[in-house]
Amino acid sequence: MHTTPLQFRPATASDCKQIWEIIQQAKLYMLQENRRQWDETYPTQRHIADDIRRGYAYVLCNGTTVMAYGAIIFDGEAAYQNIDGAWLSHQPYVVLHRLAVATAAHGHGTASTFIAETEKLALKHNVQSFKIDTNFDNGAMRAVLKKCGFTYCGKITYEKGWRMAYEKLL
C-alpha cells in the first residue's frame, strides 16, 4: 500500500478536512462494530481544532493524503492520576489520544507506525514513558498495543466511563 515513505508531522489547519473525514470513518467503524468509545459528542471538530492550536495534533501522510491522526500530549492526563492498578513508572510521559486511521489504511500497520513515530518524538523530548488508554471493547487497538510492546496497567476513569490503561517504557 505505502509505495513512498510515510511522513509524520505536526498537523496544520489545512489538514482539518482530511482529519475530520478520518475521525468520521473511525466513528462509523466503531458504531458498526458496536463499540462505545466514540460518539457524536467525542471527538468533535472542536477537539481537533484545539489539538492543532495547542500543538498536540500530528498526522501520518502518504504524500498529501492524511492516513492517520493523533493527539500527542506531553502535559499529562488528569485521569491517569488515579488508576485501579499500577503504572510501570511515575516519570514524565507522553500520552496519545484520538488515534484514528483512514479506512483505506486499515490492515497496513499504520497505527503501529504512528505509535512508533510517537515513541521517536517522545525520545527527542527526553521522555521515556508512553501511556495510552482504550475502551475495553476496542479489540483492534488492544491488539496494536500488544504488538507494540505496551503493558496493561489497570483501569482509569473518565466522565463517560472506565478505560483500559497501558504503558510502555522507551
Side-chain angles (χ1 to χ4, degrees):
M1 151 127 200
H2 307 304
T3 54
T4 58
L6 296 177
Q7 179 191 16
F8 180 75
R9 62 171 174 77
T12 65
S14 63
D15 297 313
C16 281
K17 184 176 186 237
Q18 287 187 76
I19 291 168
W20 185 241
E21 287 172 7
I22 291 170
I23 295 291
Q24 292 292 83
Q25 289 172 5
K27 285 183 178 189
L28 180 62
Y29 183 70
M30 286 185 187
L31 184 65
Q32 289 170 339
E33 296 216 330
N34 205 23
R35 293 192 223 154
R36 299 181 291 275
Q37 186 165 350
W38 289 1
D39 58 25
E40 66 280 350
T41 65
Y42 180 86
T44 64
Q45 288 177 305
R46 184 175 181 168
H47 288 109
I48 308 312
D50 285 347
D51 289 344
I52 292 170
R53 182 180 51 79
R54 292 178 174 171
Y56 298 162
Y58 280 79
V59 290
L60 191 62
C61 301
N62 187 355
T64 59
T65 304
V66 176
M67 305 304 287
Y69 167 79
I72 299 173
I73 302 165
F74 288 94
D75 303 340
E77 168 55 64
Y80 289 6
Q81 292 176 5
N82 297 307
I83 185 169
D84 181 5
W87 293 111
L88 300 178
S89 72
H90 298 287
Q91 61 187 304
Y93 60 91
V94 64
V95 61
L96 175 58
H97 281 314
R98 296 181 278 287
L99 177 60
V101 174
T103 302
H106 284 190
H108 297 282
T110 308
S112 297
T113 300
F114 196 101
I115 287 170
E117 291 295 333
T118 302
E119 291 174 8
K120 290 178 195 173
L121 184 65
L123 291 172
K124 284 181 187 173
H125 283 83
N126 209 19
V127 171
Q128 306 192 359
S129 169
F130 186 162
K131 294 180 181 180
I132 192 167
D133 64 85
T134 192
N135 211 40
F136 64 92
D137 62 2
N138 194 340
M141 186 62 180
R142 290 191 350 252
V144 168
L145 294 175
K146 183 177 181 180
K147 175 184 169 188
C148 291
F150 283 81
T151 300
Y152 174 71
C153 294
K155 298 176 185 175
I156 51 103
T157 304
Y158 289 104
E159 191 175 295
K160 290 182 136 190
W162 66 274
R163 301 283 185 263
M164 299 176 73
Y166 296 79
E167 182 175 9
K168 180 178 180 179
L169 300 178
L170 308 175

